[in-house]
Amino acid sequence: MEIRHFIEKDREAFLSFCKDFYSGGAVLHPVDSENFARTFEACLAGSPFTEGFLMEVDGVPAGYLLVSHTWSNEVGGMVALLEELYFAPQFRGRGLGGQMLDWFADRYKDSKRYRLEVNRENTGAIRLYERKGFRFLEYLQMVEEH
C-alpha cells in the first residue's frame, strides 16, 4: 500500500469515494457534495488545518484518509483528528485499515491526542479502533452549523 498527499489527478477518485462514504452507514446524515470539492481544494492548497491522503494498492486508488489539526488545552498540545478513513469495497477486509492506523500513529507521533468519530452502528470500525488503542471519550458533542 502506498500513501501520499492528494494531487490533482486524485480528484475524481476522491469525489467518488466521498459519494460512497456519505451514502453508507458510516455517517448519520447526508452531506452537500460541494463540500467534497472544497475539502479537496483545501488539501491541495496546503491548508494548515487539513490534510488529505490517497491510498493506492498496486497503483489502484483504494481509499483515502482526511486529517484535521487542532490545539487542545486539555492535553496541552496538538490533536490529530482522523476525520475520515475510507476504503473502496473491493479493498475492505484485507487489513488495510489497521495498516493505515499504524501509518497515522507514526506520522503524527508528536501529537498529544488522536481523535476520531465513529457511528455506533459501524461495529467493525469500532472493533478495529479499539484494537489500535482508541477508547470512547465520554463527552457529548454539540454543533451549530452555518
Side-chain angles (χ1 to χ4, degrees):
M1 173 171 65
E2 178 188 353
I3 303 164
R4 59 171 172 73
H5 277 106
F6 288 156
I7 57 176
E8 180 59 43
K9 77 173 191 162
D10 301 328
R11 181 182 300 270
E12 186 177 322
F14 173 72
L15 296 177
S16 175
F17 288 161
C18 285
K19 183 178 177 184
D20 189 46
F21 181 83
Y22 279 94
S23 66
V27 296
L28 298 176
H29 59 84
V31 171
D32 186 339
S33 63
E34 290 180 17
N35 293 354
F36 311 153
R38 281 197 291 276
T39 296
F40 190 80
E41 290 298 326
C43 291
L44 286 186
S47 169
F49 305 109
T50 187
E51 292 181 277
F53 299 92
L54 189 82
M55 293 159 282
E56 292 180 325
V57 174
D58 298 326
V60 177
Y64 72 91
L65 172 72
L66 291 177
V67 180
S68 293
H69 305 283
T70 188
W71 182 271
S72 170
N73 190 44
E74 183 175 337
V75 297
M78 292 300 297
V79 174
L81 175 59
L82 196 159
E83 287 279 351
E84 295 177 13
L85 176 59
Y86 170 88
F87 288 98
Q90 66 269 31
F91 293 98
R92 295 176 190 161
R94 297 185 183 188
L96 298 175
Q99 291 177 44
M100 189 54 163
L101 289 173
D102 291 343
W103 177 89
F104 172 82
D106 184 60
R107 180 173 180 90
Y108 300 104
K109 62 183 170 272
D110 292 335
S111 293
K112 294 287 190 176
R113 175 181 279 168
Y114 305 137
R115 193 168 181 163
L116 56 81
E117 295 176 350
V118 63
N119 184 340
R120 282 184 174 87
E121 285 82 43
N122 197 347
T123 56
I126 291 171
R127 283 191 305 273
L128 170 62
Y129 299 146
E130 287 178 333
R131 279 195 312 268
K132 291 297 181 177
F134 286 84
R135 58 179 170 61
F136 284 99
L137 186 62
E138 297 300 324
Y139 291 114
L140 298 177
Q141 286 197 351
M142 299 173 66
V143 297
E144 180 184 352
E145 296 179 357
H146 303 268

